[in-house]
Each structure stands twice: as C-alpha cells, then as structure tokens.
Amino acid sequence: MSGPSDFQPTNPVLKWIERRLPILGLVHSSFVAYPTPRNLNYWWTFGAILSIMLALQIVTGVILAMHYTPEATMAFKSVESIVRDVNYGWLLRNMHASGASMFFLAVYIHMFRGLYYGSYKEPREILWILGVIIYLLMMATGFMGYVLPWGQMSFWGATVITNLFSAIPYFGESIVTLLWGGYSIGNPTLNRFFSLHYLLPFVIAGVVLLHVWALHVAGQNNPAGVEPKTEKDTVPFTPYATIKDAFGVSCFMLFFAWFIFYMPNYLGDADNYIPANPGVTPAHIVPEWYYLPFYAILRSIPNKLAGVTAMFSAILVLVFLPWLDTAKTRSSRYRPLAKQFFWIFVVVCVLLGYLGAQPPEGIYVIAGRVLTFCYFAYFLILLPLLSRVETPRPLPNSIADDVLAKTGGKSAPMVSTVIMLAVAGTLVAGSVQNARAEEQEAPPSQKWSFSGPLGKFDRGSLQRGLKVYKEVCSACHSLDYIAFRNLADPGGPGYSEAQAAAFASDYKIKDGPNDQGEMFDRPGRSADYFPAAFPNEQAARAANGGALPPDLSLIAKARSYERGFPRFVFDFFTQFQEQGPNYVSAILLGFEEKPPAGVTIPEGSYYNKYFPGHSMKMPKPLSDGQVTFDDGSPATVAQYAHDVATFLMWTAEPHMEARKRLGLQVFVFLILFTGLMYFTKKKVWADAH
Amino acid sequence: MHLCEPIAGLRSPGKGANRTILDCLFRTVLAGRSDLSAAAGIAGAGSLSRVTFHGVTGAVPPAADEKGLGIVTTASSADHPTRRDFLFVATGAAAAVGGVATLWPFISQMNPDASTIAAGAPIEVDLTPIAQGQDIKVFWRGKPIYIMNRTKKQVDEARAVPVASLPDPATDQSRVKEGHDQWLVVIGICTHLGCIPIAHEGNYDGFFCPCHGSQYDSSGRIRQGPAPANLAVPPYQFVSDSKIQIG
C-alpha cells in the first residue's frame, strides 16, 4: 500500500491479471516485501491478533445470525436453541461471546502499546485517530451485540446506555425515543440493534483497511522510536513479521481457548440467563468488563449531563493525544518520567475498571472521583507538562544499533508485564462477580462430578435428579428448554431413545387444532418439550402466593453468588464454574423452621438461609423419604438436593461434556502447534538477530 | 527476490542462511524435477497453502538464478533435508490440519439442527376420511405428501400402460403397497424444479405441474413434459387397513 510495486510476475496468467489489476503487487508490497523495523517486540503482534479476532468475530457472527431470531419474544429462546440444538452451536456462541472480550483485551493492549511507545506522534496522527474511531465503533458494536440475547442484563444495559442520550439538553428525550423506536425498549429496538450489530463490523473492517493503509504509508513505529534509516534497520514483512505474528496469534489462541472451552461464563453475567423482564431491574446493573472504567467515570460525577459528557470525553480525549503530548522523543523507554506516569496511568485505568463494578456508595464514590481526575489529568495536564520539563535519555543512532546493543534477557520485563496484566485483568473480571455481593453467607462449595477440565456428569445422579424433578419440582416449575428427546442425548442421563420415547408417552401434550378446529390431548413424543405446570404466568402466580416459580432449564447458570477476593482469581485457573449447582443445592437445604432471632418473615413466606433476603415464597419442597430411588441411593434431602442440582446443571448446559472433551483435544493441538511455531519463529529469525 | 537477499551485514552469507519457510515449501515442490505442477500432488495436507505460494513464487527461479541466490542454493540442497526443513514442514502441516479441523464446525452448523431432525419423526395419517376418487395433502418434513384414494378406473389405467414406453419405467404395483392397491402415496414435488403438481389434472388422470407443464399419470409416473423422473414415493407403511405411518 505504500506505492507502486516492483513486483514482476513471470507466469503469463499472473502477468495478464497484474497488468489489469495489480492486486498481487499490492499484496506483495504490503505483506511480503514491506519493510518492518527489526526491533519490534511481541507487543506489536497485537495488530495481527486483532485482525484475526475481527475476522473470527465476523465469521462466527454471520453464522450465529443464520440461527438467531431478532424478535423480542423469540430472541432469548433462539439463542438457547443455538446452544442446544445447532451442530456445534455451543462452540460458535462461546467463540463469539468470549471473542468479544478477547477482542477488547487485545485492543486495550494495542492502545496501551501505542501510548507507551508514542505511536501516535508525527507522522502517525491519522493512523492513531483512525484507531480511536475503530475503538468507538467496537464499543458500539459490542454494546449492541450484548443486547441481542435479550436477557436481563441485555435489556437493562440497553435501557441504561440509551438513556445516556437523554442527558442531552432539549433534544434528549426525542433522541432516546428515536433510538428506541417506541416509548420504551422493545421489539423495534432489538430489531434495529440487530441490523446495526450486523452492519458495524463491516464498517470496522473498512476503517481497519484505512488504518493499515495509513500504517503502511507512515511505516511502523518501533520500541526505540527512531525511524528506520538504512536497510539494516528493517526486515521484510514475510517471513519475519508474518511468522512472529503467527506465533503471537497462536499464543493468544491458547488463552482464548481457555475461555471458550473451560470458562465460557467467567466474563459473563448470570443475570443474562434470565429472559428480559421489563418489570424488574437486576439488583446490580454492571456493563461488560471492557466498559467498566468509563462506567466508573460516568458514575463518579453527580450530575447527569456532566457525567455523560465526562464519559464520552474520556474516549474523545484520545483523539487529541498527538497534540497534547508534544515531546519529540517517541518511546517512553527513553523518557524516564513519562514511563513512570504511564504505568501509574495503567493502574488508574485498572482501578477505574474495578470501581465500575462496585456499588456506587461510600468510599467507592470518592475513589472514583479521585481516579477520574487522575485519568483526565494524565492527558490534559501531565503529558503537556512533561513535554516541556522532561529531559529524555539519549536515543540510539539507529534501530540496528538498538538491536545490537541489546543482549539476551530482554523479554523479562515483557513476562512480568504480562503477569501483572493478567492479575489486573482477573481483578477486574472477578470484581464483576464481586458486585453480586450480598451480605449473607455464601453457599458451601460441594464436590461435583462435572467440575474441572475432565468433569463428566454422573449418569445415576442425573437419572435420580430427573425423578425428583418429575415427582416434586414439576408441580410448580417448568422446564421449557428441555425436550424428551434430550434424555437420550449423549452426555445426558444416558437413556436410550426408546426409553426417552416411553418417558414422553406418560405425558399428555396439548396439540391441535384438529379438523374440527379443536385442541386435543395426545401422548407425548420424543420431540415434545416438558409441559409447563401452569398454562400461563398469571395462573402460576395465583397458585404460588403471587410469586412466579422460575423456569428451571437455565437456573444453574442464572444463579450465582459472590466468590470474594482472592478466590475468584484462583477460580480462573481452577476452572471453578459451579456457583449455580452450589446455590441450587444450598437453597434446597437452607430452609429453617424458625428464623433466627431478630428476623421476621412475612406471612406466606419461608425463611431460607441462602436465599437473597432470606424470605422465600417457596415452602420447603423436599423431605426425607419423599422420593424413592431404585438404585439404593439414600432417600434423604441432601441426596435429593445433590441430584436435582446435578440434573439442573445438565439442563442448563447439556453439551458440557462435549465442550470439555473438545477443549482437551484443542489444547493438546494448540500446545503442540504453539511449540512448533516457537521453534519455527526462532529458526526464521536466527539470522536476523 | 528480496526474500532470499541477505540483509547486508547482519546475516551470514553461508549456504541456506537466508532460507525461509517459503523457500522450504517451495523446494519440496522443486525437488528432483522442474515440473511445478507437481506441487499439489506432493503437498498433501498442506496443499492449499503451498499451491498459493507456488502461484506467487513460481515466478522466482529465473530472477533468483540471475542473482545466483536463494532458490538455486536451496534447490541444490534438496537432497539433504535438514532438521530445519523438517520443522518447517511439520509446522506447515500442523497449521493445515488445524485449519481444516477448525473449518468443520463452521460447515457442520449448516446441517439441520437437533430440533429439526426430531420434528422430522414419522407421522401417522388416518385414511378413513378420504373417499374414493379423493386425495388429501399432508406435510412430512416440510414436504407435501399426496395420499390419493384411487378409483378402479385410475388403477386400471395405470396398470394398462406398457412399462417400457414410460420415460421412467416402473410398474404401478411397485409404487403402491400390496393389498392396498387403491392407495397412492407420493411426495407432491415435481421432479423437474420442485413445484407442486395439481392433482386430478392433466391428460393422464393424475397430476399436472403448472410451472412447466409436466404431466404425471394416476400412478404418479412422469408421462409428458420436462420432468425427468416419477413423483417419489416416501417411506411409509400401513399400520392398519385405515392408517399409515409416513417416515
């Protein structure tokens, strides 16, 4: 992209094409012959990682759109059917959902790298501004994508974010109505968000092309911050940069795969497994982790318009960065003061992220204000000031000198930064769960056969859990997403198809209308879903003292509790994902005849030690001996609770075994491949170092 | 070619010093013969990437020869594969295997999902309401199925035709269940381009497709028009004399 190419094909067909459309020359000059500085470190591979992530998000997104229904009453269900019924749907959905987080993680590293090495300085201002535009587009795309599953967090996130625009004086309300396409968030909103969520990634791809074009005109910056002067300073893009980028990408994929296969819900919010309910706001509205610093800035200012303005300014200030920091020296490596303040700034951003997930009260508000000030002070006061007062260290004469001056062991700071960032990242991610904090005892952790990377469901437990559900829970609770055929699915309770069909035929299913136009009952078939206990929500509430017994299909993923610091950090490495079953089992065991002294429970409610608020409309549902098991398992409430929780974990994630099995295969492959890539990269670079 | 040019002062000019993964892959192709078209054959698992390289680098040898660089060197060392070459080939092969394996979920997701397959289970149809000379249309797996209670005349017509004269020869007996000769069960989709033929129309007392004028007889066999084959008979059986199960 940096000018006419001297690429001359000799093959007559290629020659013919090249004369008419010099595309091979373009590719050759941009991605083969293109000179890259020799001293680029691994922070520079994030450009390639981001390109791959964008492509992957587009591909998985296009595929998900083939199965998704952008309609308010069907969106949630269609996402569940993607995960449950579509071939590899669970994989594609996990890739897309965690992919968004990985995309943002990579873009933040990419941005901080630009900040540290002064990549926004002359002549790369436009390159930087294009990057800020991409980032803004990513934020819009990510937000609208999060709305699409139409869970509680989707709905209320959409409400809160669109209401930001109501802060605009005079036109605010009209703009919000325009955005919604109605008087509240509803089907029209979902529909347009889907349309825009499909469109924006392609706009991003277009701006990325401009970004790459600008990059190839100005040339890459490098850790020394001096421009390449002679041929000695550069290596051709292929194979040097390509192989290094490929190695960086494969390392990143390892990290990505950990989320896809083992921690798919770690970065998500349990509330989003509850279908959108316009009548109930979740106790803690928390955006996705990648918006948290800006969310903290928004909340720390006690005025609506000022808060919104501050939040948007926090991003827009980046556009002016090239003119705020006027220091001639690019790389912070040679700027002793700027380097220290850079790391302080990183810490400020991480802490803002942490605060964004905390309830806006007490010390958190004050800390938020201080850090908001620090954030803006860095750009508006510190950088302009530093440019004037700082004495930079001498720069190397050339990139080649920089490379030759360096000895081994230079990767040590990189490793320590990676570790530091990982810890900071888990802190922020974990703090999202932290926000679920309730001042009450956390459910005790139980031993589950399905935990860990090799976990499998205990078939006996699933069958017993099904029996308890059928004989007890199903009197009030529906199981809408489970069909009888699922009982014969691999990785499930292990029934044969004939057994599942026989199980189904015990149920009466409403069907019709028949030729006379009447509805009729018929025996259930494998393809039918578990029938609900009540014909509608009103009937369910009327029979349960005004409370709605929730559908149980997803309950094991829709309920969670605080793990607390530092346990959530370890959870990432130990793959702890069993809050749901712990909670379900704790609730079933947590009923107490008499509430503790000083606690009063309203009439018609029951005291439960682990229920948020302790006052539960459900009476103690299980007692010893209520259900008998054929396999001789003890007929105790503890056993029932364990089996039902296991069964409900399976109904919430029927493909868990397939996920973990494929995960193991992928990891074995990726580790081998990354090892091969490492040695290949070393060989290729052997002569250039 | 720039790939093969050593970077002045930085790399040892020794044999193979400037080899790259491209050269390596390229050389596998060149080994022993100059026939570049052998690329695809030798490449095996990595053929995709290699052919691509081949397309671009196919232009290289003359240029490289002039400069006495790169390809010539590597090609002449083809007889002595090194550990480095093995590494490059192994990495390339692993990338290709991983890439192909990754593609599978992306393709497989297009197939019918589990609920669609479950909804395609067999259905039962009660035949009692269908009077002689009438037909009904039911749907199975999204396809219209004609169930026709044929008159004696229709059956006789279908059986009187010399089978050899038909475009798609088949006896009427082979298209109905023995003992239930009056019942014709066919998938009502024209074998030409998928339109739905109209029953009891056309010149053969059977079906007429309005799209392009194909005509089927009272056994659902093609008699006239562009359709290449008879209307398909779905899998079905008689559960009792008045009930069939399709699927």
Side-chain angles (χ1 to χ4, degrees):
Chain A
M1 291 188 183
S2 51
S5 166
D6 53 0
F7 179 71
Q8 295 288 338
T10 48
N11 180 308
V13 177
L14 297 182
K15 239 179 176 165
W16 189 91
I17 296 171
E18 194 67 6
R19 267 191 65 199
R20 286 151 183 85
L21 178 73
I23 189 159
L24 290 172
L26 181 72
V27 170
H28 183 267
S29 64
S30 307
F31 301 107
V32 181
Y34 177 71
T36 66
R38 285 180 61 215
N39 58 342
L40 297 187
N41 56 33
Y42 277 103
W43 297 119
W44 261 264
T45 60
F46 280 86
I49 289 169
L50 283 163
S51 315
I52 298 273
M53 287 311 297
L54 177 63
L56 210 56
Q57 286 299 89
I58 289 181
V59 171
T60 52
V62 166
I63 285 173
L64 290 175
M66 292 180 190
H67 305 281
Y68 170 77
T69 314
E71 204 275 331
T73 59
M74 293 159 82
F76 189 87
K77 193 169 196 292
S78 75
V79 172
E80 275 310 306
S81 57
I82 288 173
V83 171
R84 291 160 191 272
D85 289 340
V86 173
N87 300 334
Y88 295 101
W90 59 268
L91 172 64
L92 296 161
R93 203 249 167 150
N94 285 355
M95 281 173 91
H96 197 71
S98 332
S101 280
M102 295 302 112
F103 200 175
F104 273 98
L105 177 74
V107 93
Y108 283 132
I109 294 175
H110 195 64
M111 287 163 77
F112 277 124
R113 190 268 290 156
L115 208 56
Y116 184 84
Y117 293 110
S119 300
Y120 47 85
K121 288 171 192 263
E122 194 273 322
R124 299 186 180 85
E125 297 93 332
I126 300 243
L127 174 62
W128 173 261
I129 291 169
L130 285 168
V132 177
I133 293 172
I134 293 171
Y135 175 56
L136 277 171
L137 287 168
M138 277 176 65
M139 292 183 99
T141 312
F143 157 64
M144 288 190 277
Y146 194 57
V147 173
L148 301 185
W150 212 239
Q152 272 291 66
M153 273 298 159
S154 301
F155 186 90
W156 292 101
T159 306
V160 169
I161 302 294
T162 48
N163 265 313
L164 292 179
F165 294 91
S166 69
I168 299 168
Y170 307 115
F171 310 107
E173 291 300 324
S174 335
I175 289 177
V176 172
T177 309
L178 181 87
L179 289 175
W180 288 345
Y183 304 112
S184 58
I185 301 256
N187 191 49
T189 326
L190 176 60
N191 248 304
R192 65 193 55 188
F193 277 17
F194 175 63
S195 168
L196 292 173
H197 182 69
Y198 204 119
L199 166 73
L200 287 185
F202 296 96
V203 178
I204 293 178
V207 184
V208 165
L209 280 185
L210 296 180
H211 191 69
V212 173
W213 184 13
L215 173 75
H216 284 205
V217 170
Q220 280 162 296
N221 185 28
N222 61 79
V226 293
E227 296 290 335
K229 291 173 185 131
T230 62
E231 259 195 15
K232 282 186 200 176
D233 292 340
T234 61
V235 287
F237 192 89
T238 301
Y240 294 97
T242 359
I243 209 80
K244 193 167 182 170
D245 285 348
F247 174 59
V249 168
S250 54
C251 290
F252 193 79
M253 287 297 145
L254 263 173
F255 182 66
F256 185 16
W258 187 262
F259 286 95
I260 296 175
F261 293 104
Y262 294 127
M263 304 297 282
N265 295 313
Y266 188 69
L267 296 168
D269 198 306
D271 278 328
N272 224 26
Y273 282 111
I274 304 171
N277 180 351
V280 181
T281 305
H284 296 280
I285 293 273
V286 184
E288 290 286 80
W289 69 267
Y290 34 86
Y291 303 128
L292 285 174
F294 302 104
Y295 194 60
I297 291 175
L298 168 81
R299 292 196 313 188
S300 64
I301 294 179
N303 171 291
K304 187 173 178 181
L305 179 58
V308 173
T309 313
M311 189 186 80
F312 283 110
S313 311
I315 303 163
L316 289 179
V317 72
L318 293 171
V319 170
F320 303 98
L321 186 57
W323 297 278
L324 290 170
D325 176 13
T326 51
K328 287 275 168 292
T329 309
R330 284 202 192 99
S331 172
S332 292
R333 200 195 264 175
Y334 305 102
R335 298 179 63 188
L337 289 176
K339 185 189 213 162
Q340 289 172 32
F341 283 111
F342 168 84
W343 287 110
I344 292 171
F345 177 70
V346 172
V347 171
V348 165
C349 290
V350 171
L351 287 178
L352 274 173
Y354 176 78
L355 288 179
Q358 301 310 313
E361 43 194 38
I363 182 75
Y364 295 132
V365 177
I366 298 160
R369 288 184 190 156
V370 172
L371 291 173
T372 301
F373 174 77
C374 293
Y375 181 94
F376 284 105
Y378 177 74
F379 291 109
L380 299 176
I381 304 173
L382 195 82
L383 286 179
L385 202 68
L386 275 186
S387 329
R388 285 169 183 79
V389 301
E390 189 181 33
T391 323
R393 286 167 38 210
L395 291 175
N397 277 327
S398 69
I399 292 173
D401 283 1
D402 178 49
V403 173
L404 293 174
K406 232 178 307 174
T407 47
K410 64 153 184 165
S411 59
M414 168 104 181
V415 172
S416 59
T417 353
V418 167
I419 292 168
M420 208 190 82
L421 282 176
V423 171
T426 42
L427 191 75
V428 172
S431 69
V432 177
Q433 295 163 2
N434 219 10
R436 309 261 82 64
E438 293 288 344
E439 279 133 28
Q440 64 180 46
E441 206 178 320
S445 276
Q446 296 203 22
K447 215 176 138 30
W448 302 104
S449 64
F450 48 84
S451 65
L454 304 170
K456 279 186 163 48
F457 288 113
D458 172 357
R459 310 271 167 248
S461 191
L462 285 180
Q463 298 186 355
R464 291 193 298 270
L466 171 64
K467 189 158 195 245
V468 176
Y469 168 76
K470 190 184 172 189
E471 292 182 14
V472 185
C473 318
S474 67
C476 297
H477 292 279
S478 55
L479 202 60
D480 287 346
Y481 299 112
I482 303 297
F484 297 118
R485 65 183 157 85
N486 292 132
L487 300 175
D489 283 350
Y495 288 114
S496 68
E497 283 184 27
Q499 282 171 312
F503 187 90
S505 60
D506 287 347
Y507 284 81
K508 287 269 165 282
I509 304 289
K510 203 161 247 356
D511 202 350
N514 60 15
D515 293 342
Q516 283 72 47
E518 282 155 11
M519 304 302 282
F520 57 93
D521 281 336
R522 60 163 173 79
R525 304 180 190 131
S526 289
D528 290 321
Y529 287 78
F530 276 81
F534 299 101
N536 52 54
E537 186 185 328
Q538 284 75 6
R541 283 186 189 279
N544 287 282
L548 177 69
D551 182 78
L552 292 185
S553 319
L554 276 164
I555 208 81
K557 285 204 290 192
R559 295 290 183 274
S560 190
Y561 54 88
E562 181 203 3
R563 286 286 283 170
F565 183 81
R567 257 200 298 180
F568 61 74
V569 180
F570 303 137
D571 286 352
F572 174 73
F573 299 99
T574 58
Q575 304 183 352
F576 177 81
Q577 293 255 289
E578 284 77 39
Q579 283 105 321
N582 282 345
Y583 175 86
V584 169
S585 150
I587 285 288
L588 292 173
L589 294 169
F591 287 95
E592 278 167 27
E593 289 289 320
K594 269 197 299 188
V599 180
T600 47
I601 293 295
E603 192 65 28
S605 294
Y606 305 88
Y607 180 83
N608 191 306
K609 200 173 158 191
Y610 297 107
F611 190 70
H614 302 302
S615 159
M616 203 175 190
K617 285 282 188 183
M618 175 170 81
K620 186 170 187 281
L622 293 163
S623 48
D624 288 349
Q626 194 175 353
V627 182
T628 49
F629 295 130
D630 303 335
D631 61 358
S633 298
T636 60
V637 174
Q639 183 69 39
Y640 299 154
H642 188 85
D643 292 339
V644 158
T646 305
F647 174 68
L648 292 178
M649 189 63 227
W650 171 74
T651 63
E653 203 177 343
H655 295 299
M656 181 200 272
E657 288 188 9
R659 164 164 73 80
K660 291 182 173 177
R661 191 174 52 239
L662 187 60
L664 191 67
Q665 293 163 356
V666 167
F667 262 86
V668 168
F669 172 81
L670 274 180
I671 288 170
L672 283 176
F673 180 67
T674 308
L676 280 171
M677 279 307 303
Y678 173 75
F679 289 111
T680 303
K681 186 256 157 192
K682 243 176 108 165
K683 292 276 186 205
V684 168
W685 277 80
D687 309 314
H689 276 312
Chain B
M1 191 191 180
H2 64 279
L3 280 184
C4 313
E5 286 169 25
I7 293 166
L10 287 173
R11 297 206 254 155
S12 65
K15 174 185 164 193
N18 47 23
R19 261 185 290 147
T20 67
I21 190 160
L22 283 188
D23 301 333
C24 169
L25 295 169
F26 186 57
R27 188 159 43 73
T28 328
V29 173
L30 285 182
R33 42 161 145 181
S34 57
D35 180 11
L36 289 174
S37 68
I42 296 174
S47 62
L48 270 180
S49 51
R50 282 180 207 181
V51 171
T52 316
F53 286 139
H54 162 220
V56 179
T57 51
V60 171
D65 274 343
E66 278 165 30
K67 295 182 185 172
L69 287 168
I71 297 303
V72 176
T73 317
T74 51
S76 65
S77 64
D79 305 330
H80 316 288
T82 62
R83 217 178 295 168
R84 171 189 303 213
D85 301 329
F86 173 75
L87 178 66
F88 291 163
V89 172
T91 309
V97 169
V100 170
T102 311
L103 271 183
W104 177 241
F106 291 76
I107 296 163
S108 166
Q109 53 84 21
M110 302 266 273
N111 269 319
D113 70 19
S115 65
T116 309
I117 291 170
I123 54 165
E124 287 192 348
V125 183
D126 183 15
L127 302 180
T128 40
I130 312 167
Q132 205 159 68
Q134 287 194 334
D135 65 277
I136 63 163
K137 208 191 305 179
V138 296
F139 279 86
W140 176 67
R141 294 191 171 174
K143 292 177 172 140
I145 312 273
Y146 277 114
I147 302 171
M148 187 181 268
N149 189 351
R150 298 184 295 180
T151 58
K152 180 91 177 44
K153 176 169 164 277
Q154 280 180 306
V155 176
D156 290 344
E157 275 171 8
R159 296 192 170 178
V161 183
V163 171
S165 71
L166 296 169
D168 182 8
T171 61
D172 183 58
Q173 286 85 343
S174 71
R175 296 173 56 78
V176 298
K177 301 286 178 206
E178 208 181 329
H180 304 283
D181 296 314
Q182 82 271 34
W183 292 103
L184 177 71
V185 181
V186 287
I187 298 177
I189 293 179
C190 180
T191 55
H192 181 216
L193 291 170
C195 295
I196 299 183
I198 303 164
H200 300 297
E201 288 211 12
N203 303 333
Y204 302 91
D205 214 1
F207 305 86
F208 168 76
C209 181
C211 288
H212 308 100
S214 294
Q215 303 205 16
Y216 301 87
D217 66 14
S218 54
S219 187
R221 292 171 299 195
I222 182 67
R223 298 294 286 271
Q224 185 183 320
N230 302 335
L231 291 179
V233 178
Y236 75 98
Q237 72 235 11
F238 277 83
V239 185
S240 68
D241 274 349
S242 62
K243 195 174 245 187
I244 59 168
Q245 186 192 47
I246 301 174

